[in-house]
Amino acid sequence: MADHFVPPHRRDERQWDGREQPPQYGYHDHQSGPAHSWAERTGAVYADGPSYEDQGYPGPAAHPQSPAGPAYQPASYREPGAYQPAGYPERGAHQPAGAYPGYEPQRGPQWVGPDGLGARGTDGRGPAAALPDLADVDDDERTVARRKALVAFGGTAAVVVGGAALAMSPLGRSATDKLFGGGEDAVAAGSTPAGAAGQQPSTVRTYTEQNESYMGSRAGEALKRNSPTTGQLFGSPAEAARRTQVTVKTVLAKDPVRHLASRATFGPTPKVLADIRRMGIDAWLRQQLDADKIAPSKAELKLAELPTLKMTPTQLKAQRDSLRDRGIRADQEYIDATIARQIWSDRQLFEVMVDFWNDFLHVGPEFDNSDLVRGAFDRDVIRKHAMGNYADMLVAANRHPALLIYLNQTQSSKDEINENLARENLELYSVGVDGGYKEADVKAAAKLQTGRTINKDFEYVYQPGRHFVGKVKILGFTSANNTAEGGEQASEAYFRYLANHSSTARYVAQNLATRFVSDTPPKALVDRLAKTYTANKTAIKPVLMTLFCSSEFWAAVGQKVRRPMEYLVATYRTLGVSPEPSAGYQAGDSKRPAFASGLSGIRRKMVELGQFPTGQPTPDGYPDVFVAWTSAGTMINSWNEAATLIDGQRKEFSYAKPQQLVGKAPATAGAYVDALAKRLVHQTLSAKEKALILSIAGVPASAKVDAAFLGAVPAIARALLASPQHHLR
């Protein structure tokens, strides 16, 4: 079974015949000017390391995660009538960094060399630049101590996933080995894949082989050894939490409340943790599963400042010019609204599921007329059905202009059939690439789906005159399809058949388990979730309840790493950033409210980091395994943004002063570090970790300190937010 959250391979015979979609690196505010790379803005340079080819992976032009070139077939594979917009490169053509103004490739799965940041990669390229200066004082002695502590504690050293360490420098690996146990389980991210993982993702055929295209590295093997392998179902989530013993190696506290808050939200906050403890695990989950009854937060009410969120495609078309004159695009505002909800909504489990479905039933962020239809897809398909049932979601998606345009269904007719949407409905949105379908099934499905299109007002319509008439057989589904007028009903029956297929049940279950449990979820759990999905006719809430009642969920503490977007959102949440502007905020030339401008700024930062809501340009959605995101440059950029927030530099929002993070300041340095760790990473530190943090301030645990911790609070907070405890979820 192919996994959505590892980059999907494409069958050799795949014929991607659609238009080139504008890539994410060209996605920026009209007001902000050309998008500049992080290296341009900070003067830092990305870590150099082995090429994709050196690691056994396809080069940038072939890799589905690389922004340097498309992921699909060359332009010679094109169905009749396929549209190629003027000015776009032929599909499959490699685009150098300068091909798009202001663009430099910033994301991929980018491997850091086994010899770390300071050494040449195995491909002979030059040494990487040094890390940015993370110090914020002029005291040379304290600066040196701070750098050493950051390296040893986790800053440049590692993200520790159970027993697997993603080491970023020789010094970092050595220090991390000493601090967290080291040995064969402390694995450099640059380790060369072996065995089945040596296959390129474009040629592997099965779920296991495809998964191992990432997870077969030494880092992946270490994580597999540290993951729970089996489990059992309990009567309630609370009982499962109480009776499950956590045996995996991890730096995270084995606290079920913290674990639940880390997985079922975009990051723990003191309020969320207090709510779970006060209400109990079962009651809190029941409340989260009934999201419609949770009152909107202050930030969600402020979303009224984004004028396009409730507009229909017809309304957006009528006001298109006036909105553009004001620098407003609906296909940016829905992303900004999503970011706001991830950070500030109390409906956290709902938002996690929205993000899950936006990766699963994925429509990219920018394509022809996306400013008219993409936001409506998020609102009317994903959000409407996120906690409902998948059959309804799949039917709604196949009636929505955004999906029909994105995958070229509007070009398909009985005379010129386009297979894009038919293929993705099978390969990505239902049974999966190993679900048993063949090319004949794709062709039959493409015929059955003809007639579904849009009108001039960008509304869905069914046109019988465009529909193919004739018997079709797709997997186990058969339809006489003997009238053009009955084609719409026949295709809807087919979509519901797909949603209820046993392969779809397992595919959805595999992806949910990957999202909530581990990068290598136990087969017993996947089988259990699939059984619940089928028994409840694709309803999602029962599947989630089965997940939370399973011991595998509670045993998997520390087995997921936050992706770049998740890291940034969790940082906003743990720092308690407020959606109100700082005192003395100056709007400058912007005519937009501070809140709207601030959200645009977060979006632009996420684009730099390589992940933003719905941002994957291709239909496969973002991968959700940690090995796909091991980029030193992205990690450093994330830490620098955390420092920006600690210092309160994004004035569109307001912040607690660093010395106010812990409330009443403890009198001694050791107690202060304990309080700050509980506040920011929601657990206590080990004695070694605490000593490393104290070395930043250059004082012993018994030293008397003031409310500002001798001015060291910002630096200590930055170290904590660069630690494994904050990177893991």
Side-chain angles (χ1 to χ4, degrees), residues 348-605:
Q348 280 289 297
L349 181 56
F350 176 81
E351 291 302 323
V352 169
M353 289 305 298
V354 166
D355 187 59
F356 170 82
W357 289 120
N358 266 320
D359 272 334
F360 188 93
L361 210 172
H362 181 66
V363 172
E366 194 167 351
F367 48 91
D368 284 353
N369 296 301
S370 60
D371 59 323
L372 304 182
V373 298
R374 184 57 187 85
F377 185 84
D378 182 74
R379 179 187 67 224
D380 300 334
V381 176
I382 300 298
R383 291 183 174 277
K384 182 176 180 179
H385 299 288
M387 288 291 196
N389 72 73
Y390 185 58
D392 289 345
M393 181 184 290
L394 187 61
V395 168
N398 277 274
R399 294 175 59 91
H400 200 280
L403 184 62
L404 301 182
I405 296 171
Y406 178 62
L407 290 178
N408 311 109
Q409 186 62 27
T410 55
Q411 301 171 20
S412 188
S413 70
K414 63 184 180 183
D415 299 318
E416 293 187 4
I417 295 175
N418 186 296
E419 297 177 0
N420 283 353
L421 181 54
R423 187 180 301 277
E424 301 308 296
N425 273 331
L426 286 161
E427 182 171 329
L428 295 178
Y429 305 154
S430 65
V431 299
V433 73
D434 298 310
Y437 71 89
K438 302 183 183 304
E439 275 300 296
D441 297 307
V442 174
K443 294 181 182 301
K447 292 176 181 177
L448 184 61
Q449 293 173 204
T450 53
R452 290 174 173 262
T453 187
I454 63 174
N455 63 20
K456 60 182 178 60
D457 292 321
F458 293 90
E459 299 168 324
Y460 166 78
V461 294
Y462 175 72
Q463 295 181 347
R466 296 169 63 90
H467 179 70
F468 168 87
V469 175
K471 184 177 180 178
V472 294
K473 186 177 186 301
I474 310 155
L475 294 171
F477 175 85
T478 302
S479 173
N481 187 35
N482 51 15
T483 67
E485 290 72 19
E488 182 180 31
Q489 184 178 356
S491 56
E492 180 172 323
Y494 162 66
F495 300 141
R496 292 192 179 278
Y497 165 83
L498 283 184
N500 283 276
H501 196 281
S502 59
S503 293
T504 304
R506 183 168 180 80
Y507 191 42
V508 172
Q510 181 72 47
N511 284 282
L512 279 170
T514 300
R515 176 60 182 250
F516 283 94
V517 177
S518 80
D519 292 358
T520 55
K523 179 179 182 298
L525 174 64
V526 174
D527 292 344
R528 196 179 306 135
L529 298 180
K531 183 178 179 180
T532 300
Y533 175 95
T534 299
N536 289 275
K537 302 184 186 306
T538 82
I540 302 307
K541 289 182 182 180
V543 180
L544 289 174
M545 187 54 72
T546 297
L547 175 75
F548 294 126
C549 288
S550 296
S551 63
E552 294 94 333
F553 171 80
W554 300 98
V557 175
Q559 300 305 297
K560 292 295 295 184
V561 179
R562 286 176 174 145
R563 296 175 291 179
M565 178 185 78
E566 295 163 350
Y567 174 91
L568 187 56
V569 171
T571 301
Y572 271 82
R573 287 176 59 77
T574 201
L575 288 172
V577 177
S578 167
E580 301 296 333
S582 296
Y585 165 73
Q586 298 292 328
D589 295 333
S590 175
K591 298 179 181 179
R592 305 193 70 194
F595 184 57
S597 294
L599 293 174
S600 295
I602 301 176
R603 168 169 40 82
R604 289 192 294 272
K605 174 54 66 174

Side-chain angles (χ1 to χ4, degrees), residues 6 46 114 243 279 339 358 422 518 569 582 608 696:
V6 293
Y46 278 100
R243 295 179 57 184
M279 299 173 65
I339 293 168
N358 266 320
S518 80
V569 171
S582 296
E608 287 183 21
I696 293 175

Side-chain angles (χ1 to χ4, degrees), residues 621-693:
Y622 286 121
D624 194 7
V625 291
F626 86 96
V627 188
W629 298 94
T630 54
S631 164
T634 295
M635 188 174 288
I636 296 164
N637 198 358
S638 299
W639 298 336
N640 287 341
E641 181 65 9
T644 296
L645 299 180
I646 291 167
D647 294 340
Q649 293 181 27
R650 290 194 178 276
K651 299 300 183 182
E652 298 92 345
F653 308 116
S654 52
Y655 313 81
K657 294 180 180 179
Q659 61 268 29
Q660 296 173 335
L661 287 170
V662 298
K664 184 179 180 181
T668 64
Y672 205 125
V673 168
D674 289 339
L676 201 56
K678 287 287 286 184
R679 173 65 180 78
L680 294 180
V681 296
H682 316 291
Q683 66 178 75
T684 56
L685 304 178
S686 70
K688 287 184 178 180
E689 294 163 350
K690 185 174 176 179
L692 287 166
I693 291 295

Side-chain angles (χ1 to χ4, degrees), residues 20 70 73-78 84-85 87-95:
E20 182 76 23
Q73 299 281 21
S76 57
Y77 291 91
R78 191 95 57 198
Q84 181 73 19
Y88 280 86
E90 286 293 316
R91 185 167 294 282
H94 177 75
Q95 296 302 310

